[in-house]
Amino acid sequence: MRGETERQATLMLGLTPEGFVPRDHPLRRIKPLVDSALGRMSPVFEQVYATGGRPSIPSEHLFKSSLLMAFYTIRSERQFCEQLRYNILFKWFLDLNVEHEPFHPTTFTKNRELFMEADTARVQLKEVVREARRRRRLSANHFTPAPGLNTGSTAHCWRPGPRTRATVRATSPGPPKGGDRNRDADFSGERRRHETHVSSTDPEARLYRQGKQQGAQLCYLGHVQSENRHGLVVDVEN
């Protein structure tokens, strides 16, 4: 017999995000490890923020959100906050209730500089290495350094595309055209240089290329040390 659609909304619902997540979901194994590491990082977070003023979004929410964006390949913080509105799995991972509204995407931008000044990313990496060593996932004899461009240790700009397109620097010759915006220029067939090309969203990025037959791209140069047996990164330097 064909069922009929019930259009009457439920007035009260006694469920929490915990009840929606399957018992065998992979995030259930990851969440305790993340909570434990962030708990040990609490003194670092206390030093970042001021003692007075209006309470901010918890630092733990931002770090967990970054993990979810990496796990589920979410391309932007704005898209993540949009999914956080209706994704109960994400709310459970962030310890939010069903009725909680997502925070604004600019929260990431406003707090990123504070975290970079406190070098929280390196502290978080040390916590990951500590957990891997506790679980005996690291070998003391098999490490590989990846310095410079020899092994392709480059990280592209956070948002490659129109917002990170090559633009003409103010020191480039020629009068500006089209008002106060970037000077119009045709770089077809010309060699890209730091003096003429700069990222509009990542000004500290530089032009690198990984081979003679490949074009130069705006990215960051990094040095990575990884453990061979499990492929875990144990140290980085930019």
Side-chain angles (χ1 to χ4, degrees):
M1 183 178 70
R2 180 182 177 184
E4 296 182 357
T5 302
E6 296 183 5
R7 300 186 179 277
Q8 183 177 0
T10 303
L11 297 179
M12 298 185 62
L13 185 65
L15 293 176
T16 62
E18 175 74 22
F20 287 94
V21 182
R23 293 297 177 184
D24 58 347
H25 198 281
L27 285 182
R28 284 194 175 274
R29 300 178 59 185
I30 297 176
K31 189 175 184 297
L33 303 178
V34 176
D35 292 339
S36 177
L38 292 176
R40 293 191 294 269
M41 293 176 61
S42 181
V44 179
F45 296 145
E46 291 290 342
Q47 298 177 0
V48 172
Y49 294 97
T51 55
R54 187 175 60 181
S56 66
I57 299 296
S59 307
E60 292 79 2
H61 288 181
L62 302 179
F63 275 81
K64 286 184 177 181
S65 300
S66 300
L67 289 176
L68 289 174
M69 285 188 285
F71 292 156
Y72 291 93
T73 320
I74 301 176
R75 66 175 182 269
S76 68
E77 295 155 353
R78 186 172 298 277
Q79 186 186 49
F80 172 80
C81 292
E82 178 183 350
Q83 294 188 20
L84 186 60
R85 182 178 299 277
Y86 54 80
N87 195 318
I88 299 181
L89 176 64
F90 289 0
K91 287 190 173 183
W92 168 80
F93 193 77
L94 298 185
D95 296 317
L96 297 176
N97 292 324
V98 178
E99 68 275 9
H100 283 168
E101 290 291 325
F103 42 82
H104 199 271
T106 56
T107 306
F108 291 94
T109 307
K110 295 177 180 178
N111 289 273
R112 185 173 292 117
E113 293 184 1
L114 296 176
F115 294 152
M116 292 180 65
E117 292 178 359
D119 205 11
T120 55
R122 186 175 297 277
V123 177
Q124 187 179 24
L125 176 61
K126 291 181 179 179
E127 291 295 335
V128 174
V129 174
R130 174 183 176 181
E131 183 64 27
R133 184 174 288 110
R134 188 182 70 84
R135 292 173 175 264
R136 298 182 178 180
R137 297 298 177 88
L138 291 180
S139 171
N141 301 321
H142 302 82
F143 292 92
T144 298
L149 296 173
N150 296 331
T151 53
S153 302
T154 56
H156 293 277
C157 293
W158 183 249
R159 288 193 61 183
R163 290 185 178 270
T164 57
R165 64 182 181 275
T167 57
V168 183
R169 291 181 180 270
T171 56
S172 302
K177 297 180 181 180
D180 297 332
R181 302 187 66 180
N182 297 324
R183 294 183 174 89
D184 296 332
D186 183 12
F187 293 97
S188 178
E190 297 183 8
R191 182 178 180 181
R192 295 183 179 182
R193 302 184 302 274
H194 296 304
E195 291 77 12
T196 58
H197 289 65
V198 62
S199 171
S200 58
T201 57
D202 297 80
E204 296 181 357
R206 293 294 180 264
L207 287 167
Y208 296 107
R209 62 177 182 175
Q210 297 182 343
K212 294 183 179 180
Q213 303 300 326
Q214 299 182 10
Q217 296 183 356
L218 289 164
C219 53
Y220 295 93
L221 181 64
H223 304 266
V224 180
Q225 185 179 16
S226 60
E227 194 268 345
N228 289 349
R229 290 184 174 178
H230 298 90
L232 297 176
V233 174
V234 296
D235 197 8
V236 293
E237 188 69 34
N238 54 12

